[in-house]
Amino acid sequence: MPLNNVVVNGGFETGTLDPWLSLNASINSEHSHSGFFSAQLNGGGSNSFISQFIPITAGEKLELLFSVAKIGDLPNPIVSTSVAYYDSAFNFLGIGLIVNNISSRLPDAATDDTWLEVYNVTTPAPAGTTQALITINGLPQAGTADVLVDDVEALVVSGATGATGATGATGATGATGATGATGATGATGATGATGATGATGATGATGATGATGATGATGATGATGVTGATGATGATGATGATGSGSLLSSTDAVAAQIITIGDPPATVLSLGVVATGTDSFKIDSMVEVEIVSGAVINAVEYTITYQLLLDGTPIATITREDNSAQSIAIARTIIEIPNMTWVDTPGAGAHTYSIAIAVNGTNITDAQVNIRALNVIQFT
């Protein structure tokens, strides 16, 4: 089956990001995988991404390809790639792909012009799908380099030919042909004997009409008449309703917040939104968790509980666990960066999305959160 690339301006050769949605992203004209331009996602403690809606139908898959590199000697941040499916009214239908590239693995385009080429295949689009949202996200992490993205392609495998449409309406009946010739006259009856000539009698009654002859063949259709003059143009119709769109809200923090080991999950970041009742919200979040182990020669165990809350009630929870032995009695500092992507449809009114963190374990002494970020894209 033929492959069709449905990404618009995937090589950024227009010199702009349009029609991509973006945050903390810009055009780079110094480095590119091909052509003259690429997209640059800011590194460091700021969250950055580019997103684009592309057309797709139920049952189809996307082959997602792009080239990625970093700029300079600093390590690169985690680069997250996701594909979400929606219907024509922007109702969320499911996730087709979420992939996180390991940090500090990207080549330096500024040194040797080397790029990493990324290839992923989504799950099939569910029933009712008319569009998909592609997002390439540089997650915030202090002390990391800017990231370059170029030559983004989304290849769709075309489906089979649809069923034949219904037969069109019958055309108008042509003009009636000329009347055929009159049929032959019926045979004359036998003549009676001549009587004596007497006085002229009264006029007899009219005889019966003979049978009608057979209808002659239809004559040829006459020539089509001259087309009449074009009528005046009708009045312009009313302007259609404005289509639906999207709205981005985001927040982040870098100040350290202490987490008491063994306590219930504590809120570390919140973001307020207002919903109409028919909106869908795509929520991207991350937290850098710092854990300090005790100075012991024993197993160090810990569990991080990561919750996404709506108006104080958890709507999604993930955990990250580790169990390792220390060979020498010194304290260690351990860094974990859990993250989550979620789609939600809250009721109408004002709402608050929050991130909450809890840390439990054995032979650990301290825990705190450092950089954290929360982004919400509202589809109306």
Side-chain angles (χ1 to χ4, degrees):
M1 294 183 180
L3 297 177
N4 179 28
N5 178 23
V6 293
V7 171
V8 178
N9 194 24
F12 309 101
E13 292 307 306
T14 63
T16 69
L17 290 175
D18 187 63
W20 293 87
L21 300 170
S22 64
L23 176 67
N24 294 323
S26 60
I27 289 294
N28 185 296
S29 60
E30 297 181 4
H31 307 287
S32 62
H33 180 253
S34 67
F36 299 95
F37 301 100
S38 63
Q40 179 172 331
L41 306 181
N42 293 350
S46 61
N47 188 38
S48 58
F49 68 83
I50 55 174
S51 296
Q52 184 177 143
F53 279 101
I54 55 95
I56 188 174
T57 58
E60 293 181 332
K61 296 180 181 179
L62 288 175
E63 295 184 10
L64 184 61
L65 308 91
F66 62 92
S67 298
V68 62
K70 68 173 184 174
I71 304 175
D73 296 330
L74 292 176
N76 61 273
I78 294 174
V79 179
S80 176
T81 307
S82 65
V83 177
Y85 295 126
Y86 296 84
D87 63 15
S88 59
F90 290 90
N91 293 311
F92 173 74
L93 301 180
I95 293 293
L97 176 71
I98 296 180
V99 176
N100 290 334
N101 294 324
I102 302 301
S103 62
S104 303
R105 298 286 180 86
L106 297 185
D108 182 4
T111 300
D112 54 9
D113 199 29
T114 301
W115 294 66
L116 176 67
E117 296 188 4
V118 180
Y119 173 84
N120 292 290
V121 179
T122 69
T123 58
T129 299
T130 62
Q131 56 188 330
L133 178 65
I134 298 173
T135 300
I136 301 174
N137 190 181
L139 299 179
Q141 185 177 351
T144 55
D146 292 351
V147 173
L148 299 174
V149 178
D150 201 1
D151 295 334
V152 184
E153 295 184 347
L155 305 180
V156 178
V157 178
S158 301
T161 302
T164 302
T167 302
T170 303
T173 304
T176 303
T179 304
T182 303
T185 304
T188 304
T191 304
T194 303
T197 302
T200 303
T203 303
T206 302
T209 302
T212 302
T215 303
T218 303
T221 303
T224 303
V226 178
T227 303
T230 303
T233 303
T236 303
T239 302
T242 301
S244 55
S246 59
L247 176 65
L248 170 67
S249 302
S250 65
T251 186
D252 54 53
V254 296
Q257 178 176 333
I258 301 301
I259 302 297
T260 302
I261 297 169
D263 276 5
T267 299
V268 298
L269 194 63
S270 297
L271 178 64
V273 298
V274 178
T276 65
T278 60
D279 302 336
S280 292
F281 290 81
K282 178 176 179 285
I283 305 108
D284 294 297
S285 61
M286 62 77 64
V287 176
E288 180 186 74
V289 182
E290 179 180 317
I291 298 173
V292 179
S293 69
V296 296
I297 305 177
N298 284 307
V300 175
E301 302 178 6
Y302 62 84
T303 299
I304 301 172
T305 301
Y306 186 113
Q307 290 185 339
L308 179 65
L309 301 91
L310 173 63
D311 299 330
T313 300
I315 59 174
T317 301
I318 60 173
T319 59
R320 182 168 293 184
E321 301 178 348
D322 192 72
N323 183 343
S324 60
Q326 297 188 150
S327 58
I328 57 176
I330 62 172
R332 285 192 304 148
T333 298
I334 304 164
I335 300 295
E336 294 280 4
I337 307 177
N339 60 87
M340 182 187 301
T341 295
W342 193 258
V343 177
D344 190 32
T345 306
H351 300 282
T352 299
Y353 287 105
S354 304
I355 307 171
I357 297 292
V359 178
N360 295 277
T362 303
N363 293 326
I364 56 176
T365 61
D366 298 287
Q368 67 182 42
V369 297
N370 299 320
I371 300 172
R372 53 269 196 199
L374 182 58
N375 300 327
V376 176
I377 300 178
Q378 180 179 359
F379 300 100
T380 59

